[in-house]
């Protein structure tokens, strides 16, 4: 899909200075008022020289500010060479022998510079999962829990080191590793020489994994959907900051700014839903994602052996945790709720985890309720906006409602053809109709959000 487009790296230069982004009529004298706790959290991300603990910006949201372009240097370059050949050995009986032949290389601060750590984490995580999952023998095991958990020191030792340098408790392939730090454009004209890109160009139709595991179209569409979803919801970062500042400094008419921000966040959820709907089981779709390929390769590959943290999952999507924080979700008693909470500790970068915690302290729902006795007009306007957001996220046609529908399409086919373990390590069985059971569990989890309506 070549358009001949080039990236103008100066057109939005002012947007790289967050101090110039949020000053508005709410705060006409910047030096006399604080920017707000959420804004300050985002601004801290800009000031960090290397974003080892995650990144959040107004221009790219939770996606990286620049695509990966710099190769690993010195002896560590062999990790790139091996990862580039993963699709060639995916079904080979020699896969484990090839991957275990790596030399043992240290990955401490004195061995691997900070700016190479995130890319090394992506490469080593993908090599590790490929070691566990590649080869026909492992592909057809009757139970995924039978996958041997052993990992050669040449993979495990440096992988553990880079993960610890990123603030993780141990080795784990995260959604950030697998997808966000590992995509590029099909048409190179969509990115600049230093990896600059426009987030609006990052859609399923235009991107691909930089280093794929299998290299098939199903992998491209599915992984790219996570990027498209988060690209479509980028402006939610700015809107939650605006809403928080309106609550703090907006005065008697601040409710209008809060309501406007909530409506815009709802539109972000709808944009993410439109991106999610592109994943299609129909052969004639331009974004066809084969449910059999999906089940037998990609989503089986993402599940590590028992004893390791859960691998990348849709429940770890930053957008989901952002929306939960904005609506003030408090119930996590469902199976999926407990799983989502567990993923906070293993899948979310620390910076994002702190950002979502700060959003919860704002208590947008509590602010709306506080207007109930003050003015019918003020309350009605903000209540309508808040409920619109809940519906766009957790309504039957909202983001989570569409996700539940996809489960029936994909998990149903996947279980029938032999996918026997979910990303949460749950066993799946045809006799138990696991796909409908999972849809029921998701429905309960959706209900834990829907009760936040006012």
């Amino acid at each position: 899909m070549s358009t001949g487009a080039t990236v103008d790296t100066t057109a939005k230069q002012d947007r790289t200075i967050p101090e110039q982004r949020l000053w508005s009529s709410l705060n006409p004298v910047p030096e006399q008022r604080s920017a707000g706790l959420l804004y300050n959290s985002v601004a801290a991300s800009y000031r960090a020289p290397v974003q080892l603990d995650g990144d959040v910006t107004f221009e790219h949201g939770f996606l990286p500010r620049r695509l990966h372009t710099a190769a690993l240097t010195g002896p560590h370059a062999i990790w790139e060479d091996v990862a580039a050949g993963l699709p060639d050995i995916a079904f080979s009986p020699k896969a484990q022998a090839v991957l275990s032949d790596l030399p043992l290389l240290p990955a401490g601060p004195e061995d691997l510079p900070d700016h190479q750590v995130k890319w090394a984490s992506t490469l080593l995580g993908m090599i590790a999962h490929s070691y566990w999952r590649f080869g026909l023998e492992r592909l057809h095991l009757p139970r995924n829990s039978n996958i041997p958990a052993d990992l050669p020191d040449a993979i495990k030792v440096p992988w553990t080191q880079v993960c610890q340098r990123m603030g993780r408790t141990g080795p784990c392939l995260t959604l950030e590793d697998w997808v966000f730090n590992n995509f590029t454009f099909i048409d190179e004209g969509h990115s600049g020489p230093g990896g600059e890109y426009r987030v609006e160009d990052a859609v399923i139709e235009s991107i691909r994994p930089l280093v794929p595991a299998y290299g098939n179209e199903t992998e491209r569409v599915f992984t790219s959907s996570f990027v498209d979803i988060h690209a479509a919801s980028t402006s939610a970062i700015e809107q939650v900051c605006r809403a928080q500042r309106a609550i703090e400094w907006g005065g008697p008419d601040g409710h209008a700014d809060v309501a406007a921000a909530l409506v815009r966040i709802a539109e972000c959820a709808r944009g993410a839903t439109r991106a999610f709907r592109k994943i299609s089981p129909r052969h004639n779709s331009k974004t066809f994602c084969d449910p059999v390929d999906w089940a037998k390769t990609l989503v089986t590959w993402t599940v590590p052996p028992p004893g390791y943290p859960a691998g990348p999952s849709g429940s770890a999507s930053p957008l989901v945790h952002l929306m939960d924080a904005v609506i003030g979700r408090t119930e996590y008693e469902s199976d999926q709720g407990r799983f989502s909470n567990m993923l906070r500790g293993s899948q979310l970068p620390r910076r994002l985890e702190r950002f979502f915690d700060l959003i919860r302290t704002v208590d947008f729902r509590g602010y709306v309720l506080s207007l109930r006795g003050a003015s019918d007009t003020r309350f009605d306007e903000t209540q309508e906006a808040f409920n619109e957001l809940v519906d766009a996220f957790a309504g039957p046609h909202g983001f989570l409602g569409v996700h539940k529908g996809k489960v029936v399409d994909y998990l149903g086919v996947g279980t029938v053809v032999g996918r026997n373990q979910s990303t949460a390590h749950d066993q799946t069985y045809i006799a138990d109709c696991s796909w409908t059971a999972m849809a029921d569990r998701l429905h309960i989890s959706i209900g834990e959000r829907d009760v936040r309506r006012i």
Side-chain angles (χ1 to χ4, degrees):
M1 156 173 186
S2 177
T3 63
T6 58
V7 174
D8 180 354
T9 59
T10 63
K12 296 183 179 180
Q13 189 174 9
D14 65 310
R15 299 185 71 186
T16 64
I17 306 174
E19 286 81 2
Q20 297 178 3
R21 293 275 291 136
L22 290 181
W23 302 124
S24 67
S25 58
L26 294 175
N27 191 359
V29 188
E31 66 273 15
Q32 293 182 5
R33 289 184 175 178
S34 68
L37 59 90
L38 297 182
Y39 164 83
N40 289 333
S41 178
V42 177
S45 186
Y46 283 85
R47 291 191 292 268
V50 180
Q51 292 75 36
L52 290 181
D53 61 347
D55 204 3
V56 52
T57 64
F58 297 122
E59 295 82 12
H60 294 91
F62 302 116
L63 299 178
R65 293 176 234 180
R66 296 171 183 264
L67 304 179
H68 171 77
T69 57
L72 296 183
T73 55
H76 299 96
I78 194 172
W79 296 339
E80 287 195 289
D81 296 336
V82 170
L86 290 178
D88 296 330
I89 61 171
F91 305 105
S92 170
K94 299 179 180 179
Q96 283 68 37
V98 171
L99 298 177
S100 63
D101 197 37
L102 280 166
L104 176 56
L105 301 173
E110 66 282 359
D111 308 296
L112 188 72
D114 283 351
H115 69 273
Q116 295 186 4
V117 167
K118 293 181 81 167
W119 185 233
S121 179
T122 292
L123 297 173
L124 289 167
M126 295 193 65
I127 290 171
H129 276 249
S130 299
Y131 182 87
W132 287 321
R133 292 297 183 177
F134 275 2
L136 290 177
E137 181 180 347
R138 299 190 179 203
L139 181 68
H140 295 294
L141 281 176
R143 281 283 158 249
N144 288 352
S145 57
N146 295 338
I147 295 290
D150 64 293
L151 202 58
D153 284 347
I155 302 172
K156 185 175 183 178
V157 171
W159 189 28
T160 300
Q161 287 180 301
V162 296
C163 286
Q164 289 175 341
R165 290 176 65 182
M166 296 171 69
R168 303 173 192 169
T169 56
C172 177
L173 180 70
T174 67
L175 191 64
E176 183 183 42
D177 296 331
W178 180 43
V179 177
F180 295 162
N181 294 332
N182 186 31
F183 79 91
T184 190
F185 286 94
I186 297 171
D187 179 357
E188 295 180 357
H190 282 304
S191 60
E196 307 89 353
Y197 69 100
R198 298 178 302 193
V199 73
E200 56 266 32
D201 292 335
V203 296
I204 292 177
E205 297 86 345
S206 299
I207 58 179
R208 63 175 178 83
L210 185 57
V211 176
Y214 293 93
N216 56 32
E217 180 67 359
T218 295
E219 179 179 14
R220 189 196 71 77
V221 170
F222 187 69
T223 58
S224 297
S225 71
F226 286 99
V227 177
D228 197 343
I229 286 167
H230 287 82
S233 53
T234 293
S235 65
I237 305 300
E238 180 173 340
Q239 296 308 321
V240 293
C241 292
R242 287 188 179 277
Q244 186 269 320
R245 287 184 61 243
I247 291 174
E248 183 177 1
W249 295 110
D253 296 322
H255 73 282
D257 294 288
V258 174
L262 292 174
V263 168
R264 293 187 184 108
I265 297 171
E267 180 52 38
C268 287
R270 286 190 284 267
T273 304
R274 289 190 290 270
F276 194 18
R277 286 184 182 276
K278 293 181 186 178
I279 303 174
S280 175
R282 299 191 304 273
H283 283 273
N284 61 348
S285 171
K286 293 180 180 179
T287 50
F288 170 55
C289 182
D290 190 318
V292 176
D293 277 350
W294 176 85
K296 295 298 291 181
T297 59
L298 194 62
V299 291
T300 298
W301 177 91
T302 62
V303 182
Y308 282 86
S313 166
S315 296
S317 296
L319 174 66
V320 172
H321 290 268
L322 171 73
M323 294 295 178
D324 277 345
V326 173
I327 67 174
R329 180 186 181 185
T330 58
E331 296 184 20
Y332 289 88
E333 298 305 315
S334 67
D335 291 335
Q336 288 303 111
R338 289 191 293 270
F339 180 55
S340 178
N341 248 347
M342 179 192 72
L343 290 178
R344 278 176 56 90
S346 62
Q347 283 281 322
L348 284 182
R350 299 288 80 80
R351 184 182 300 279
L352 270 59
E353 191 174 0
R354 294 191 297 269
F355 183 61
F356 300 146
D357 286 343
L358 284 175
I359 292 174
R360 289 182 180 277
T361 67
V362 177
D363 190 9
F364 293 109
R365 186 175 187 271
Y367 169 78
V368 176
L369 289 172
S370 73
L371 299 174
R372 178 172 277 164
S375 165
D376 289 342
T377 302
R378 291 168 61 195
F379 172 71
D380 290 346
E381 185 177 352
T382 51
Q383 177 199 33
E384 182 179 356
F386 185 88
N387 287 343
E388 180 180 342
L389 170 57
V390 174
D391 188 65
F393 175 49
H397 302 292
F399 183 80
L400 296 179
V402 170
H403 175 261
K404 187 180 75 170
K406 294 291 183 185
V407 165
V408 176
D409 286 340
Y410 281 86
L411 188 58
V413 173
T415 304
V416 169
V417 300
R419 186 197 182 199
N420 49 47
Q421 193 172 23
S422 73
T423 54
H425 291 288
D426 292 332
Q427 298 295 334
T428 59
Y429 301 92
I430 296 175
D432 294 340
C433 293
S434 298
W435 53 96
T436 57
M438 178 57 75
D440 290 342
R441 289 166 60 181
L442 290 172
H443 182 74
I444 296 172
S445 177
I446 290 172
E448 293 176 334
R449 280 92 167 205
D450 193 63
V451 296
R452 303 307 292 169
R453 292 178 190 274
I454 298 173

